[in-house]
Amino acid sequence: MKLWKKSLTAVALLGLVAGLTACGGGSDAEKSKESTAADGDVELKVTTWNYDTTPEFEKLFRAFEEANPGITVTPVDIASDDYDTKLTTMLSSGDTTDILTMKNLLSYSNYALRDQLLDLTDHIKDIDIDPAAASYEMYEVDGKTYAQPYRTDFWVLYYNKKMFDDAGIDYPDNLTWDEYEEIAKKLSKPDEQVYGAYQHTWRSTIQAIAAAQNDGDLLDPSYGYMTDYYDRALRMQDAKAQMDFGTAKSTKVTYQSQFENSKTAMMYMGTWYMGGLLTNKDEGKTDVEWGIAQIPQKEAGKAIDTFGSPTAFAVNKNSKHQDAAQKFLDFCSGEEGAKVLAEVGVVPSYKTEAIDDLYFSREGMPSDDVSKTAFTPENVAIEFPVDKNGPAIDKILQEEHDLILVNDETPKEGIKNMEKRVKTETE
């Protein structure tokens, strides 16, 4: 698998780096005020999102505590939709939460460039990162690394086996987008609020996959390749083959409820969802029979193109327990953490053949040939490239995305506005 088609570009960040000034004197090690066993137990606080429905956090925290007596791990939980905004505010106010979960590369680069994260560059030279080397490359900013990836996700197509069986339709296998659209129409029962497909409200469900499958760059204001993807989404809404975007947005529908309550037959989503789905099955919260297939493609028989991004832990420069925090990062991003993640159905960044075997041996995990093929796509493009103008571009693209899908703009108008606004932002 060619894991990443587009890497983090440090050159684009040089202007911001040059403008930053260091805060205070002394080395990071000198600033650390580490509590030791002699002083009492250490409590590490870690930012998380949706802790109760994201099983990897609980599993990693308890496994680390077992391996490190005297250290406890406490979540600082934040609602997923508010996570980056809240974390930015916390850091700006000097918050001392020890470990910060880097939900995406865009926010990570901002924290790194603001000198809010501990520099881990020298440390990672002394640990085994080869099985996760491709993911570590994504965290290089001007030759330095400020986080350690523990999870690497990409997008696949989830499907409801019973809904396909009841309709007498073969399970998905390397569908084209045209086939996906036709199957969704056949499986929809709009009078029962059941749809053949569910497309979540994030702009990535159209923009990131369009860029990945057309060698596009979301930083480059030339977005014509998105047209077919928006046209399809609007057709499917009009045909009631998928839930209307405005309804999903206004009622804050969750993708978990749609899939786990058998309200949709197909849904493309990140591999991170497998862990939560397996846990909910184990706990009797859903009885959905599911599988995964390759995300739909422009043409059948071609290389499988999808998108994704890694997730990492970083150490807050204001942490008073930096040594213990570093132990936590090493545990979660290394082989021990990878085993914990694989056992709950989460794709670890640290990947070996043995870890992959453990992942698919988990009870409830689909292990057919199509699922395993979906798990090894040829090309995984970065969900959103990193750039100093990234936050502003991201905001523009989301705004225009929403306007198109509620029919306030045509795709042609919306894409034209994206291009104009992004060009103005970056000039």
Side-chain angles (χ1 to χ4, degrees):
M1 177 173 67
K2 182 181 178 184
L3 189 56
W4 303 112
K5 291 201 293 187
K6 298 179 179 71
S7 63
L8 183 69
T9 306
V11 174
L13 306 173
L14 290 178
L16 271 179
V17 175
L20 292 173
T21 57
C23 298
S27 68
D28 292 329
E30 291 170 341
K31 292 178 185 177
S32 175
K33 298 178 181 179
E34 181 66 44
S35 295
T36 64
D39 299 324
D41 290 345
V42 172
E43 180 189 24
L44 287 177
K45 293 184 178 181
V46 185
T47 60
T48 62
W49 60 87
N50 296 355
Y51 183 82
D52 291 337
T53 57
T54 310
E56 70 201 61
F57 291 130
E58 170 74 14
K59 297 292 185 181
L60 283 172
F61 293 0
R62 302 294 84 84
F64 174 76
E65 289 174 343
E66 185 177 349
N68 294 271
I71 304 177
T72 59
V73 183
T74 302
V76 177
D77 201 38
I78 302 169
S80 179
D81 290 344
D82 301 328
Y83 184 80
D84 289 324
T85 300
K86 176 67 174 177
L87 189 55
T88 297
T89 301
M90 289 168 59
L91 289 174
S92 297
S93 65
D95 188 90
T96 59
T97 300
D98 303 286
I99 296 158
L100 311 170
T101 309
M102 298 290 101
K103 193 175 182 186
N104 57 64
L105 289 168
L106 180 60
S107 56
Y108 158 74
S109 66
N110 289 334
Y111 306 138
L113 292 170
R114 292 174 187 144
D115 198 31
Q116 294 169 323
L117 308 178
L118 193 68
D119 184 355
L120 308 178
T121 310
D122 290 337
H123 175 77
I124 64 174
K125 292 177 182 177
D126 298 326
I127 61 175
D128 177 23
I129 66 168
D130 286 347
S135 295
Y136 270 91
E137 289 176 6
M138 298 301 100
Y139 290 92
E140 289 186 9
V141 177
D142 194 31
K144 295 185 177 181
T145 304
Y146 301 87
Q148 292 177 224
Y150 69 92
R151 191 182 88 187
T152 297
D153 293 294
F154 49 88
W155 283 51
V156 297
L157 181 68
Y158 294 80
Y159 65 92
N160 183 311
K161 290 185 175 181
K162 186 176 186 301
M163 293 177 73
F164 273 81
D165 290 341
D166 289 348
I169 298 175
D170 291 339
Y171 296 153
D173 180 8
N174 196 23
L175 297 180
T176 64
W177 286 109
D178 288 342
E179 291 169 335
Y180 170 80
E181 183 176 355
E182 286 305 309
I183 291 172
K185 291 177 183 177
K186 293 177 182 177
L187 291 171
S188 287
K189 300 176 182 178
D191 291 342
E192 301 174 24
Q193 295 185 319
V194 173
Y195 301 92
Y198 176 70
Q199 179 177 285
H200 200 45
T201 57
W202 301 325
R203 63 165 187 76
S204 289
T205 60
I206 289 183
Q207 296 175 2
I209 191 59
Q213 295 184 347
N214 293 275
D215 200 26
D217 182 349
L218 294 176
L219 300 176
D220 177 12
S222 301
Y223 302 128
Y225 56 82
M226 296 181 186
T227 303
D228 288 346
Y229 294 77
Y230 276 111
D231 285 343
R232 181 184 309 108
L234 292 170
R235 281 198 310 269
M236 291 178 71
Q237 287 183 178
D238 291 343
K240 300 188 185 303
Q242 69 183 30
M243 178 181 283
D244 174 79
F245 175 87
T247 300
K249 188 87 169 180
S250 63
T251 59
K252 298 184 177 180
V253 168
T254 67
Y255 62 84
Q256 296 97 327
S257 66
Q258 288 301 109
F259 192 75
E260 293 176 27
N261 293 328
S262 295
K263 292 295 186 180
T264 185
M266 297 182 291
M267 177 182 75
Y268 56 97
M269 186 56 59
T271 50
W272 69 78
Y273 179 44
M274 288 193 242
L277 183 50
L278 288 167
T279 298
N280 287 343
K281 286 274 287 184
D282 290 345
E283 296 177 355
K285 295 178 180 178
T286 180
D287 60 0
V288 64
E289 295 298 325
W290 62 284
I292 61 170
Q294 309 91 328
I295 198 167
Q297 302 290 305
K298 291 169 61 179
E299 298 179 60
K302 301 293 184 180
I304 304 301
D305 293 328
T306 186
F307 71 94
S309 64
T311 306
F313 289 119
V315 179
N316 185 351
K317 285 195 75 172
N318 289 330
S319 167
K320 302 301 189 293
H321 310 297
Q322 292 180 3
D323 291 345
Q326 185 63 72
K327 287 182 180 180
F328 178 85
L329 265 62
D330 291 347
F331 178 91
C332 294
S333 63
E335 184 176 15
E336 293 174 295
K339 290 178 180 178
V340 173
L341 293 169
E343 287 174 354
V344 296
V346 174
V347 184
S349 296
Y350 189 102
K351 283 174 64 67
T352 64
E353 186 174 341
I355 295 295
D356 282 351
D357 289 343
L358 180 61
Y359 183 87
F360 278 103
S361 70
R362 203 277 198 204
E363 185 177 355
M365 179 66 69
S367 57
D368 57 278
D369 289 343
V370 173
S371 295
K372 290 186 176 180
T373 299
F375 196 69
T376 55
E378 284 88 346
N379 299 307
V380 181
I382 287 296
E383 183 170 359
F384 191 78
V386 176
D387 184 83
K388 64 182 181 181
N389 296 309
I393 294 173
D394 176 64
K395 184 173 185 292
I396 290 168
L397 295 180
Q398 183 66 60
E399 289 173 350
E400 297 297 335
H401 171 80
D402 291 4
L403 291 171
I404 293 171
L405 290 183
V406 296
N407 288 303
D408 280 354
E409 295 177 340
T410 66
K412 183 177 180 180
E413 291 169 340
I415 289 170
K416 183 178 180 181
N417 286 337
M418 288 181 207
E419 294 174 343
K420 180 180 179 180
R421 292 177 65 189
V422 170
K423 185 176 181 181
T424 299
E425 185 68 39
T426 56
E427 284 180 343

